[in-house]
Amino acid sequence: MKHLLLFSLAFFFFNSNTFTQTLTADQIYSKTNNAIVTIYTFDTNDNPISQGSGVVLNQKGWVVTNYHVYEGASKIVVKHANKIVAYSNIVAMDAEKDILILKIVDRSFPSIPIGNSDLLKVGQKVYAIGSPLGLENTISEGIVSGLRTNQEKTKSFIQISAAISPGSSGGAVLTSKGELIAITTSTITKGQNLNFAIPVNDILEVYNKTNIKQNNSIATENGFLYPVFVNNKWGYINNLGRLIIKPQFDYGDDFFDGLAKIEISQKYGFIDKTGKVIINPQFDDIGNFQEGMARVKLNGKYGFINNIGEIAVYPQYLEASNFSDGLAKVIEEHPNIAWQKGGYIDKNGKLVIRYAGYDFKEFSEGLAPISKNGKYGFIDKKASTVISL
């Protein structure tokens, strides 16, 4: 396959229950859309490298994509609709098989029932859902055109006729029952609709090796401690079920960046993985760390702390979002129910963009969605409207 094109898309801006019955395309899309995400990768200078797709595998927030989507990157951004999904860590990778499994913090995403790719038959109907050219969660229909292996007989591919394009890499290939049987990976550029996908059974091999490794480890690295609720208190166990931090908190959240949000007497702080209180419970509310900062609420107002608990931005805002692209959205006042006044602050607390309108969202890849006077569009970090809709 000399002319094989890996669909990592050299980035450009384009301004569990198994189903038992055959489903229509719209039913499949409805049941699986929220389990498929878009993935962007960046270098050390935050320059975009590639864009691909990903599929949620389980309720732990594990997401599978292609390794080539991530290769050479130092930063990953996961998105679904207009939501940036906090990314935690890489769980497993196999560069040779072109498989990468990462973990997201948000566990509200559903997973897709997993099928058996060994049972596929040539001519069987399949559907592909991914984000070709960044057009999020596009669905296409086709058949299994062939079952292939490479010349060395070391890798298997499912050949499909369902249309895919750059940016589809890591997207779901589904049966007519809505089961995940592969992720899209590549095409032959000098052919006609010759597209290829990695069988889900190969993905499960990487997945299961990772589970075995974790279950035989007593390490308490990020992702290996889980909150438990015992006798009306929260504590933490590891994958072996061993109690690492005794139940003592009124609430305990997942670990993220080595710290977990806890509640004591209706105040929030953070502990490390030994159970040591790193940031004293003193806040009315607190968010997980993102880009080294966490949103906090004190005396009814929002500000930010750094990861050693120092107040970096004094609480003074009615509302605030997490930092994204180095900026955080803040609301200073609501003149009426819909209209908002505020803008975007940097990590020093400086209001670098002042904005007022019906709605404005967090920055991602240098742009932020806005709504004003019934119109929608995007602004850049100079507050210039770059896309009007």
Side-chain angles (χ1 to χ4, degrees):
M1 296 183 181
K2 182 178 179 180
H3 301 289
L4 195 68
L5 172 64
L6 293 178
F7 272 169
S8 57
L9 178 56
F11 188 94
F12 66 93
F13 182 68
F14 188 80
N15 267 39
S16 160
N17 290 325
T18 302
F19 304 132
T20 58
Q21 61 182 7
T22 299
L23 305 174
T24 61
D26 61 311
Q27 289 173 328
I28 287 174
Y29 187 84
S30 176
K31 289 179 177 292
T32 60
N33 171 53
N34 287 330
I36 301 167
V37 298
T38 304
I39 296 174
Y40 299 87
T41 59
F42 302 83
D43 64 17
T44 54
N45 296 316
D46 278 345
N47 296 313
I49 295 177
S50 65
Q51 175 259 308
S53 307
V55 184
V56 179
L57 289 175
N58 59 27
Q59 295 303 311
K60 296 178 183 178
W62 289 18
V63 177
V64 65
T65 187
N66 287 140
Y67 173 80
H68 74 257
V69 172
Y70 167 77
E71 188 173 14
S74 61
K75 177 182 176 182
I76 298 174
V77 173
V78 181
K79 291 184 68 178
H80 183 75
N82 289 324
K83 180 180 181 181
I84 295 179
V85 185
Y87 147 78
S88 173
N89 61 302
I90 293 174
V91 175
M93 67 173 72
D94 188 320
E96 183 179 358
K97 291 184 177 180
D98 199 18
I99 295 169
L100 177 83
I101 300 175
L102 55 89
K103 182 181 179 183
I104 56 176
V105 176
D106 190 339
R107 296 187 182 179
S108 66
F109 284 78
S111 56
I112 298 176
I114 295 176
N116 185 350
S117 51
D118 288 344
L119 300 180
L120 284 175
K121 297 180 179 179
V122 175
Q124 180 176 337
K125 182 179 287 188
V126 291
Y127 299 88
I129 304 179
S131 298
L133 302 181
L135 297 171
E136 184 172 337
N137 289 15
T138 297
I139 186 170
S140 59
E141 181 181 24
I143 61 170
V144 174
S145 306
L147 302 172
R148 313 294 183 187
T149 57
N150 62 356
Q151 291 181 348
E152 296 78 18
K153 306 294 183 182
T154 57
K155 290 194 291 184
S156 300
F157 296 98
I158 300 169
Q159 183 183 335
I160 60 174
S161 64
I164 60 175
S165 299
S168 295
S169 279
V173 179
L174 307 160
T175 67
S176 57
K177 293 181 180 180
E179 298 170 326
L180 180 70
I181 45 87
I183 60 170
T184 52
T185 187
S186 59
T187 192
I188 297 178
T189 57
K190 289 195 173 182
Q192 292 293 320
N193 207 21
L194 300 176
N195 308 315
F196 297 88
I198 299 171
V200 74
N201 287 8
D202 288 358
I203 297 168
L204 291 177
E205 285 184 15
V206 177
Y207 175 98
N208 290 331
K209 285 179 183 177
T210 303
N211 264 337
I212 292 170
K213 181 179 179 181
Q214 289 188 7
N215 288 331
N216 287 313
S217 171
I218 61 172
T220 57
E221 298 176 2
N222 188 29
F224 291 5
L225 285 186
Y226 303 96
V228 291
F229 189 58
V230 181
N231 295 328
N232 293 319
K233 292 293 181 181
W234 289 84
Y236 292 84
I237 60 173
N238 66 9
N239 286 39
L240 297 175
R242 183 177 301 166
L243 188 65
I244 303 299
I245 302 173
K246 70 177 183 179
Q248 57 190 291
F249 308 112
D250 297 330
Y251 174 74
D253 206 343
D254 290 324
F255 275 90
F256 184 60
D257 283 353
L259 299 176
K261 168 184 172 180
I262 52 95
E263 178 189 359
I264 299 177
S265 299
Q266 298 183 328
K267 296 293 181 180
Y268 294 90
F270 281 95
I271 60 170
D272 66 14
K273 291 186 175 180
T274 68
K276 179 181 178 181
V277 175
I278 301 300
I279 299 173
N280 288 324
Q282 57 187 296
F283 301 103
D284 302 327
D285 192 16
I286 197 165
N288 287 319
F289 277 95
Q290 188 163 318
E291 298 188 1
M293 306 280 274
R295 177 174 57 94
V296 298
K297 186 178 184 181
L298 190 62
N299 298 323
K301 296 294 180 70
Y302 287 92
F304 292 86
I305 60 172
N306 59 25
N307 54 15
I308 60 174
E310 298 173 335
I311 292 181
V313 179
Y314 187 78
Q316 57 190 294
Y317 301 105
L318 291 180
E319 296 179 23
S321 71
N322 290 327
F323 272 89
S324 177
D325 270 11
L327 299 178
K329 167 191 169 180
V330 295
I331 303 298
E332 295 178 316
E333 60 177 310
H334 287 295
N336 56 49
I337 295 177
W339 194 263
Q340 302 173 347
K341 284 187 176 181
Y344 300 87
I345 62 171
D346 62 17
K347 292 182 180 179
N348 295 316
K350 180 181 178 181
L351 190 67
V352 295
I353 299 175
R354 183 170 292 280
Y355 195 80
Y358 288 107
D359 195 16
F360 51 103
K361 304 291 186 182
E362 295 80 14
F363 271 92
S364 177
E365 289 88 61
L367 297 175
I370 59 169
S371 171
K372 193 172 183 179
N373 298 325
K375 302 292 184 181
Y376 295 87
F378 291 82
I379 59 171
D380 62 17
K381 290 186 177 181
K382 295 180 181 179
S384 301
T385 300
V386 294
I387 304 175
S388 295
L389 302 179

